[in-house]
Amino acid sequence: MSFADMISATNGVIWSIPLVALCLLAGLYFSIRTGFVQLRGLPDMIKQLIGGEKSADGTSSFQSLMMSLANRVGMGNIGGVATAIAFGGPGAVFWMWTVAFLGASTSFIESTLGQIYKEKDPDTGEYRGGPAYYFEKAYSHKAKALSLVYGILFAAVTVMAMSFFLPGVQANGMASAINLAWGFPTWGVAILLVIALAFIVIGGVKRIAAVAAFIVPPMAILYIIAALIVFFVNFDQIPHVFGEIFSGAFGMHAVYGAIIGLAIKWGVQRGIYSNEAGQGTGPHHAAAAEVSHPAKQGFVQAFSVYIDTLFVCTATAFIIISTDMYSVFENETFPGTTLYTGAIGTDVEPGPGFVQNGFDTLVPGIGLGSSFVAIALTFFAFTTIVAYYYMAEVNLSYLTRKIKNGVVRRGLLRLLQGLLLVSVAYGAINTAGSAWGLGDIGVGSMAWLNIVGILVLQVPALKALKDYRAQKKAGKDPQFDPRPLGIANAQFWELRADGKVRQGQTGEELAAETGENPITPPPRS
């Protein structure tokens, strides 16, 4: 069996019907349990973005959102939508919307947990956290060994996913878009990308936040504006676009009726790949933020799911379908037999090329649309890879926190950085199918562990939401103290409620007060 066959077989097992059902049903369950926080919490989402807290130690709510969007907005919003349509038909877009709406509640739960169980780095003073931390801490007073093992397992899977499985997809999309727009060889893109990443990955969370806050908003806005131009130029296609999406989603389309199962599968799979709700990435960014109550970051990260899928992915879908620049392939293979052959023909591989050709219909013959998508995807993919590295390092820090030997920890950090660069180089010069296969394995593995885990650990997040609503109803700016709520092992918030954690307090002071050994990251050179 070849390496490509192994990737395909593994991906088929991970992204089978049970995971698709788990993503949808967990989102529905959390929507009901939170009273549809993704709707009732919209005013709170906007408020947190406008007036969130700031400190010397944590990122602001806006920066946290930008870090999250830097991670979410990438190849999944452009190439991911294209592959969903190519193998699931236009109806897959509806299921992307569905998993985004339901997944916003899942994102609220996981991100609130990330805040509740965050820690303060003793060396840098920055906040760090994520699923590995809440898996270990939430029920460590009841099942310490099991909690620790599950946390270690998630951290190990995340390190591999973020450093090896996922970066190649972003690099592949960037390289293929640049090659299509300007004819620049993919190996050249690989070299330049590796050099650029080698300089930036040593910058730390604050530099990542600053870079993301600077790059992501204008590029996302420009992309949506460009999509709106296509929208108005093809205004007469609106009924057709929505007709294709809804008829394909429910098996009523004459051509796509037989692949309704694939529409659901590809819509959910690419929706999760794009917005990452339930995957366990959002809690890393949520934990880095400075807030007075964990639920505040739950609102922020839930809103990022909306921005990613309902805005950016929808813009991509409209460009592709309204311009007829797509084909739908049978049996999930390219090249292969087609169910539908649009104006783009059957020679263009599903990915950024669908979108680039769609934009090019505005001003035919000069490649303006292809160049714009190549530039946008370069920024989106680059910031996503940097965010991947941040999460890989956070989880490596978690795994190596007990290692006292600085040489060993430094060596493991260099190994992590090398693995990321190898993945980027491999993804840039390889086929899209292999790159996507590895990426799907990474996303699916994390989603399995995280969603099952937060279904078990949901209670602290639900208590935090109830507490937030009660304080807000009383006219207060919600402040969090876990002890009256019966939430154990949230040491950071206990110290904060007692006035022992202060803005600007050093990691060494915190370590002395807690009497514990918070995470010790690999030393930077």
Side-chain angles (χ1 to χ4, degrees):
M1 181 181 289
S2 66
F3 183 60
D5 290 336
M6 291 176 60
I7 293 173
S8 179
T10 304
N11 190 22
V13 171
I14 291 175
W15 276 104
S16 54
I17 293 176
L19 180 55
V20 173
L22 178 66
C23 294
L24 291 172
L25 293 177
L28 177 61
Y29 171 77
F30 287 131
S31 297
I32 295 171
R33 288 286 280 143
T34 59
F36 285 88
V37 67
Q38 65 266 57
L39 293 178
R40 291 177 59 189
L42 276 171
D44 295 283
M45 296 176 193
I46 303 301
K47 180 179 179 181
Q48 290 309 309
L49 297 180
I50 296 174
E53 297 99 328
K54 299 179 180 179
S55 82
D57 306 314
T59 61
S60 68
S61 288
F62 178 75
Q63 284 181 318
S64 176
L65 175 67
M66 291 305 104
M67 287 172 64
S68 179
L69 287 177
N71 186 70
R72 298 180 201 266
V73 177
M75 181 60 172
N77 299 84
I78 298 177
V81 176
T83 55
I85 293 173
F87 300 123
V93 177
F94 173 83
W95 294 103
M96 292 185 76
W97 294 338
T98 301
V99 81
F101 174 74
L102 297 177
S105 65
T106 306
S107 183
F108 176 88
I109 295 291
E110 64 179 356
S111 299
T112 301
L113 287 170
Q115 263 287 329
I116 291 174
Y117 297 106
K118 69 181 180 182
E119 295 181 353
K120 198 169 187 180
D121 189 307
D123 289 347
T124 66
E126 297 170 349
Y127 302 135
R128 292 198 174 192
Y133 296 84
Y134 56 67
F135 288 146
E136 178 185 340
K137 290 179 148 206
Y139 289 142
S140 62
H141 57 296
K142 295 182 179 180
K144 185 173 184 178
L146 180 60
S147 298
L148 179 60
V149 169
Y150 203 81
I152 291 173
L153 176 61
F154 182 88
V157 168
T158 302
V159 168
M160 284 301 300
M162 293 295 154
S163 64
F164 181 70
F165 290 119
L166 286 160
V169 178
Q170 305 297 327
N172 181 273
M174 181 194 301
S176 64
I178 290 174
N179 178 261
L180 182 61
W182 306 311
F184 194 76
T186 55
W187 60 263
V189 176
I191 293 173
L192 294 176
L193 183 55
V194 166
I195 292 172
L197 285 170
F199 279 102
I200 200 170
V201 294
I202 62 173
V205 62
K206 298 240 172 148
R207 181 180 296 177
I208 294 171
V211 170
F214 178 76
I215 293 176
V216 172
M219 286 311 305
I221 291 171
L222 281 174
Y223 185 79
I224 293 173
I225 289 174
L228 287 174
I229 294 173
V230 177
F231 176 87
F232 285 113
V233 169
N234 296 285
F235 192 79
D236 61 319
Q237 291 294 309
I238 294 176
H240 169 72
V241 171
F242 283 100
E244 292 289 291
I245 291 173
F246 284 103
S247 62
F250 297 102
M252 297 182 294
H253 196 283
V255 177
Y256 312 122
I259 61 167
I260 181 174
L262 291 177
I264 298 172
K265 174 183 178 278
W266 279 96
V268 172
Q269 186 171 338
R270 287 292 174 259
I272 295 295
Y273 190 99
S274 177
N275 62 53
E276 301 179 357
Q279 183 186 339
T281 55
H284 295 89
H285 308 301
E290 174 73 33
V291 290
S292 65
H293 197 287
K296 292 183 176 181
Q297 262 303 294
F299 291 123
V300 169
Q301 298 303 322
F303 190 67
S304 73
V305 174
Y306 284 164
I307 295 176
D308 174 274
T309 304
L310 300 186
F311 295 161
V312 185
C313 287
T314 299
T316 299
F318 187 85
I319 292 166
I320 292 172
I321 301 172
S322 68
T323 60
D324 200 33
M325 289 298 172
Y326 70 100
S327 293
V328 180
F329 298 87
E330 271 190 301
N331 302 321
E332 305 177 271
T333 57
F334 171 84
T337 306
T338 60
L339 288 172
Y340 175 78
T341 302
I344 200 170
T346 59
D347 295 330
V348 178
E349 187 171 11
F354 282 15
V355 188
Q356 288 176 292
N357 281 277
F359 269 123
D360 279 340
T361 61
L362 292 176
V363 188
I366 64 173
L368 181 63
S370 292
S371 296
F372 172 72
V373 173
I375 293 170
L377 190 53
T378 295
F379 282 112
F380 289 158
F382 186 79
T383 54
T384 298
I385 295 170
V386 173
Y388 285 165
Y389 172 75
Y390 164 67
M391 286 182 286
E393 186 186 289
V394 167
N395 284 276
L396 180 65
S397 299
Y398 172 87
L399 291 171
T400 60
R401 56 187 171 164
K402 302 297 184 182
I403 298 177
K404 303 299 182 182
N405 190 315
V407 175
V408 173
R409 286 187 281 118
R410 188 178 294 111
L412 290 172
L413 178 64
R414 295 292 175 259
L415 180 63
L416 175 71
Q417 293 168 343
L419 194 60
L420 177 89
L421 298 179
V422 168
S423 173
V424 166
Y426 175 83
I429 63 177
N430 218 296
T431 63
S434 296
W436 275 110
L438 286 173
D440 286 334
I441 290 172
V443 172
S445 300
M446 290 178 64
W448 265 117
L449 291 171
N450 186 60
I451 295 177
V452 170
I454 62 176
L455 283 169
V456 176
L457 305 184
Q458 61 184 283
V459 173
L462 295 172
K463 287 182 176 180
L465 176 60
K466 183 178 179 180
D467 177 64
Y468 175 90
R469 286 172 170 166
Q471 291 192 51
K472 187 179 177 184
K473 187 176 181 180
K476 302 176 182 177
D477 176 23
Q479 306 291 317
F480 187 64
D481 185 348
R483 291 166 296 190
L485 306 177
I487 299 175
N489 308 316
Q491 291 90 349
F492 171 85
W493 289 99
E494 293 174 8
L495 290 167
R496 178 167 181 155
D498 291 340
K500 294 181 179 180
V501 174
R502 302 175 299 279
Q503 183 170 310
Q505 183 181 28
T506 66
E508 289 77 5
E509 291 171 337
L510 176 62
E513 290 176 345
T514 60
E516 294 185 353
N517 180 27
I519 62 169
T520 304
R524 300 180 182 274
S525 59

